[in-house]
Amino acid sequence: MSQITSLMTDDHRHCDESFARAETAVAKGKWDEASAALAQFASELEGHFEAEESLLFPKFEAATGMTEGPTKVMRGEHAEMRSALTRMRDALANKDKDDYAGEAETLLILMQQHNMKEENILYPMCDSHLSGTDVANGLSERLHARA
Protein backbone atom coordinates (compact mmCIF):
# COMPACT_ATOMS: atom_id res chain seq x y z
CA MET A 1 0.00 0.00 0.00
CA SER A 2 1.43 3.37 -0.94
CA GLN A 3 1.88 6.33 1.36
CA ILE A 4 -1.32 8.34 0.77
CA THR A 5 -3.47 5.20 0.53
CA SER A 6 -2.03 3.85 3.77
CA LEU A 7 -2.33 7.10 5.69
CA MET A 8 -5.89 7.86 4.63
CA THR A 9 -7.09 4.25 5.00
CA ASP A 10 -5.72 4.19 8.54
CA ASP A 11 -7.62 7.40 9.23
CA HIS A 12 -10.82 5.80 7.91
CA ARG A 13 -10.39 2.99 10.46
CA HIS A 14 -9.76 5.51 13.24
CA CYS A 15 -12.98 7.33 12.35
CA ASP A 16 -14.84 3.99 12.23
CA GLU A 17 -13.75 3.23 15.80
CA SER A 18 -15.01 6.60 17.04
CA PHE A 19 -18.30 6.08 15.21
CA ALA A 20 -18.72 2.70 16.94
CA ARG A 21 -18.08 4.20 20.40
CA ALA A 22 -20.89 6.71 19.88
CA GLU A 23 -23.25 4.05 18.57
CA THR A 24 -22.55 1.78 21.55
CA ALA A 25 -23.15 4.58 24.05
CA VAL A 26 -26.50 5.46 22.46
CA ALA A 27 -27.58 1.82 22.46
CA LYS A 28 -26.86 1.69 26.20
CA GLY A 29 -28.73 4.95 26.82
CA LYS A 30 -25.57 6.64 28.12
CA TRP A 31 -26.48 10.01 26.68
CA ASP A 32 -23.61 12.10 28.07
CA GLU A 33 -21.07 9.53 26.93
CA ALA A 34 -22.82 9.33 23.56
CA SER A 35 -22.74 13.09 23.17
CA ALA A 36 -19.00 13.23 23.87
CA ALA A 37 -18.31 10.27 21.59
CA LEU A 38 -20.37 11.73 18.74
CA ALA A 39 -18.61 15.08 19.13
CA GLN A 40 -15.25 13.29 18.94
CA PHE A 41 -16.32 11.34 15.85
CA ALA A 42 -17.69 14.46 14.16
CA SER A 43 -14.44 16.30 14.81
CA GLU A 44 -12.38 13.44 13.39
CA LEU A 45 -14.63 13.04 10.35
CA GLU A 46 -14.57 16.76 9.61
CA GLY A 47 -10.79 16.79 10.00
CA HIS A 48 -10.55 13.95 7.49
CA PHE A 49 -12.83 15.76 5.04
CA GLU A 50 -10.91 19.01 5.50
CA ALA A 51 -7.58 17.31 4.77
CA GLU A 52 -9.02 15.90 1.57
CA GLU A 53 -10.94 18.97 0.43
CA SER A 54 -8.27 21.57 1.17
CA LEU A 55 -5.10 19.63 0.37
CA LEU A 56 -5.42 16.22 -1.28
CA PHE A 57 -8.17 16.93 -3.80
CA PRO A 58 -6.79 20.28 -5.04
CA LYS A 59 -3.30 18.79 -5.45
CA PHE A 60 -4.72 15.79 -7.32
CA GLU A 61 -6.82 18.04 -9.56
CA ALA A 62 -3.81 20.27 -10.30
CA ALA A 63 -1.65 17.24 -11.15
CA THR A 64 -4.23 15.51 -13.36
CA GLY A 65 -6.48 18.27 -14.68
CA MET A 66 -9.47 16.20 -13.50
CA THR A 67 -11.92 18.47 -11.70
CA GLU A 68 -15.17 16.79 -12.75
CA GLY A 69 -14.10 13.26 -11.86
CA PRO A 70 -13.63 11.36 -8.63
CA THR A 71 -12.93 14.37 -6.41
CA LYS A 72 -16.23 15.98 -7.40
CA VAL A 73 -18.05 12.77 -6.51
CA MET A 74 -16.24 12.54 -3.16
CA ARG A 75 -17.09 16.14 -2.27
CA GLY A 76 -20.75 15.41 -2.99
CA GLU A 77 -20.62 12.36 -0.76
CA HIS A 78 -18.97 14.40 1.99
CA ALA A 79 -21.98 16.73 1.87
CA GLU A 80 -24.36 13.76 2.18
CA MET A 81 -22.43 12.43 5.17
CA ARG A 82 -22.42 15.85 6.83
CA SER A 83 -26.22 15.94 6.48
CA ALA A 84 -26.57 12.47 8.00
CA LEU A 85 -24.33 13.54 10.88
CA THR A 86 -26.55 16.57 11.51
CA ARG A 87 -29.58 14.28 11.71
CA MET A 88 -27.69 12.03 14.14
CA ARG A 89 -26.95 15.04 16.35
CA ASP A 90 -30.64 15.96 16.30
CA ALA A 91 -31.67 12.43 17.28
CA LEU A 92 -29.10 12.44 20.07
CA ALA A 93 -30.34 15.81 21.36
CA ASN A 94 -33.85 14.30 21.48
CA LYS A 95 -32.51 11.12 23.13
CA ASP A 96 -34.22 9.12 20.41
CA LYS A 97 -32.46 5.76 20.16
CA ASP A 98 -34.49 4.55 17.19
CA ASP A 99 -34.00 7.70 15.13
CA TYR A 100 -30.31 7.74 16.00
CA ALA A 101 -29.93 4.08 15.01
CA GLY A 102 -31.60 4.71 11.66
CA GLU A 103 -29.46 7.74 10.89
CA ALA A 104 -26.33 5.94 12.09
CA GLU A 105 -27.10 3.05 9.77
CA THR A 106 -27.53 5.46 6.87
CA LEU A 107 -24.21 7.14 7.65
CA LEU A 108 -22.47 3.80 8.09
CA ILE A 109 -23.60 2.64 4.65
CA LEU A 110 -22.55 5.95 3.10
CA MET A 111 -19.14 5.76 4.77
CA GLN A 112 -18.55 2.15 3.74
CA GLN A 113 -19.36 2.83 0.10
CA HIS A 114 -17.41 6.08 0.11
CA ASN A 115 -14.34 4.58 1.77
CA MET A 116 -14.28 1.66 -0.65
CA LYS A 117 -14.17 4.08 -3.60
CA GLU A 118 -11.46 6.19 -2.02
CA GLU A 119 -9.32 3.28 -0.86
CA ASN A 120 -9.55 1.28 -4.08
CA ILE A 121 -9.71 4.02 -6.72
CA LEU A 122 -8.96 7.59 -5.65
CA TYR A 123 -6.14 7.10 -3.15
CA PRO A 124 -4.13 4.79 -5.45
CA MET A 125 -4.60 7.39 -8.21
CA CYS A 126 -3.34 10.06 -5.82
CA ASP A 127 -0.32 7.94 -4.91
CA SER A 128 0.42 7.48 -8.60
CA HIS A 129 0.09 11.15 -9.55
CA LEU A 130 1.45 12.75 -6.36
CA SER A 131 4.43 10.56 -5.55
CA GLY A 132 7.52 12.62 -4.95
CA THR A 133 5.49 15.55 -3.61
CA ASP A 134 4.99 16.66 -0.01
CA VAL A 135 1.26 15.87 -0.03
CA ALA A 136 1.50 12.78 2.21
CA ASN A 137 3.52 14.75 4.77
CA GLY A 138 0.96 17.56 4.70
CA LEU A 139 -1.89 15.11 5.17
CA SER A 140 -0.09 13.41 8.03
CA GLU A 141 0.51 16.73 9.77
CA ARG A 142 -3.14 17.74 9.45
CA LEU A 143 -4.52 14.40 10.61
CA HIS A 144 -2.15 14.11 13.55
CA ALA A 145 -2.60 17.73 14.61
CA ARG A 146 -6.18 16.99 15.62
CA ALA A 147 -5.22 14.06 17.87
Side-chain angles (χ1 to χ4, degrees):
M1 194 178 298
S2 295
Q3 198 172 11
I4 293 170
T5 301
S6 179
L7 178 67
M8 299 305 282
T9 298
D10 287 350
D11 199 54
H12 283 166
R13 299 305 158 260
H14 181 77
C15 290
D16 291 345
E17 291 167 6
S18 294
F19 177 86
R21 281 192 293 277
E23 198 168 32
T24 298
V26 169
K28 293 179 178 179
K30 296 182 177 181
W31 300 109
D32 290 340
E33 184 180 322
S35 181
L38 185 61
Q40 179 68 32
F41 166 70
S43 174
E44 292 169 0
L45 187 66
E46 192 55 45
H48 182 89
F49 290 165
E50 190 277 331
E52 290 178 335
E53 293 171 356
S54 69
L55 179 62
L56 182 61
F57 294 173
K59 294 285 189 180
F60 175 79
E61 291 164 349
T64 65
M66 287 191 265
T67 58
E68 295 296 317
T71 54
K72 182 177 181 179
V73 172
M74 295 301 107
R75 283 185 180 99
E77 291 180 3
H78 289 176
E80 290 178 43
M81 288 186 273
R82 285 178 173 116
S83 294
L85 184 57
T86 296
R87 293 188 302 272
M88 288 171 62
R89 285 184 179 120
D90 292 344
L92 183 63
N94 293 325
K95 297 183 179 178
D96 187 330
K97 282 185 189 181
D98 292 336
D99 194 25
Y100 185 93
E103 295 301 341
E105 183 176 358
T106 297
L107 181 57
L108 180 60
I109 291 167
L110 288 171
M111 287 191 309
Q112 288 172 336
Q113 293 173 347
H114 178 84
N115 292 353
M116 180 129 1
K117 287 181 257 188
E118 285 186 334
E119 293 168 14
N120 293 308
I121 300 167
L122 181 58
Y123 295 158
M125 290 173 70
C126 289
D127 276 315
S128 175
H129 290 281
L130 300 172
S131 65
T133 69
D134 63 350
V135 172
N137 289 335
L139 289 169
S140 181
E141 288 171 10
R142 287 177 192 225
L143 296 175
H144 293 110
R146 69 170 196 241

